Amino acid sequence: MKKTSLKIGLHPAQILRDLGSGIFEIRIQYPDNIYERKIAEYTESQLKNKNHQAALKDFLLRKGIDVLPEEAMKINLQHIFKADTYFTNGQSILSCIKRDEQFELFEHAPEDFTHFHVTPCAFFRLSILSIQPIEAISERNRDLEVIKLLSKREVKFLPILESDDEWAMMRQSLIDGYEFRYGDKVLTKRAAFYEGRGLDKILREFIDRIRPATLKCCLNCEHFKFSGMSYEMSGGTVGYCGLLQENSEKREGLKDVVTEIDAWCGDFRIVPA
């Protein structure tokens, strides 16, 4: 198979096998001892930052995960950095570890998976979607589970301000990058990293390309703004809504004012020219 240059978060990856329908088995080329270093980083973070410690406990409680935080994080980091192999459809990641002649699969939220690549990172959540693995008794059974989980891909539709009947399409692929379509106008580009980094620049280019049509999304709204931290932590995919910040007394916390650049609502206002 022809080698394709890929990056998962901060690290290069190689396609090992094509399972069909845009699903691939991959190897992520991590530095030596990265798992041990991340365990040490987690321990130090929890000792030094009580807010992260409390946030992780709250995350586990909200998810109904009845496991000690250190045990949950150990499983999480092991499946990010020490898995035997990984599978992806460009939008989701599955990690696989073989234990006692059985295969253990975990599905990861991609933005959280790559968050743990950063040093220092905030250990206040997990990337695995459940603490209970999906188990398979053979490689064939494992591949069937992988295909079942990764056969569906998300396609987002973004509204056009001037029409209730027209929408732009946004789709992400690990191999082809981001694809945007509106009528006969198409933009396909690879982001700098697997999840998020550079998406804001690609989306702005698409916004300019389809003018005079107006793409209705947060990035194109006068109420939206980035902060240095929101941009850095999300890779340019998350910012803040000014309208929600104005009503802060009715909100429960910081997360209530956060919005993604490709979201939209009825209070959209085009950025003044």
Side-chain angles (χ1 to χ4, degrees), residues 40-105:
E41 188 181 326
Y42 161 70
T43 302
E44 183 179 2
S45 170
Q46 295 298 288
L47 289 173
K48 288 185 175 180
N49 196 318
K50 300 300 181 183
N51 289 334
H52 287 178
Q53 192 177 83
L56 179 58
K57 290 180 179 179
D58 180 62
F59 174 90
L60 296 176
L61 182 64
R62 285 186 285 108
K63 294 290 185 178
I65 298 175
D66 188 19
V67 176
L68 290 173
E70 55 268 27
E71 184 61 27
M73 187 58 70
K74 180 180 178 181
I75 295 169
N76 187 73
L77 294 177
Q78 189 175 42
H79 265 267
I80 294 174
F81 297 109
K82 283 192 72 176
D84 297 319
T85 192
Y86 304 85
F87 300 88
T88 185
N89 62 0
Q91 296 185 340
S92 298
I93 280 192
L94 294 173
S95 59
C96 179
I97 292 178
K98 188 176 182 181
R99 299 186 195 274
D100 300 325
E101 302 305 316
Q102 287 200 336
F103 297 92
E104 177 183 279
L105 288 163

Side-chain angles (χ1 to χ4, degrees), residues 157-168 182 210 212-216 264 268:
F157 292 93
L158 306 178
I160 301 298
L161 181 64
E162 293 82 3
S163 172
D164 292 332
D165 302 318
E166 295 185 355
W167 298 73
Y182 173 62
I210 68 172
T214 305
L215 189 67
K216 187 177 176 181
W264 73 90
F268 174 82

Side-chain angles (χ1 to χ4, degrees), residues 108-116 125 127 194-195 233 260:
H108 300 258
E111 66 276 10
D112 292 335
F113 186 94
T114 56
H115 164 79
F116 286 98
R125 61 181 184 265
S127 72
Y194 167 61
E195 179 62 31
M233 292 295 289
E260 296 185 358

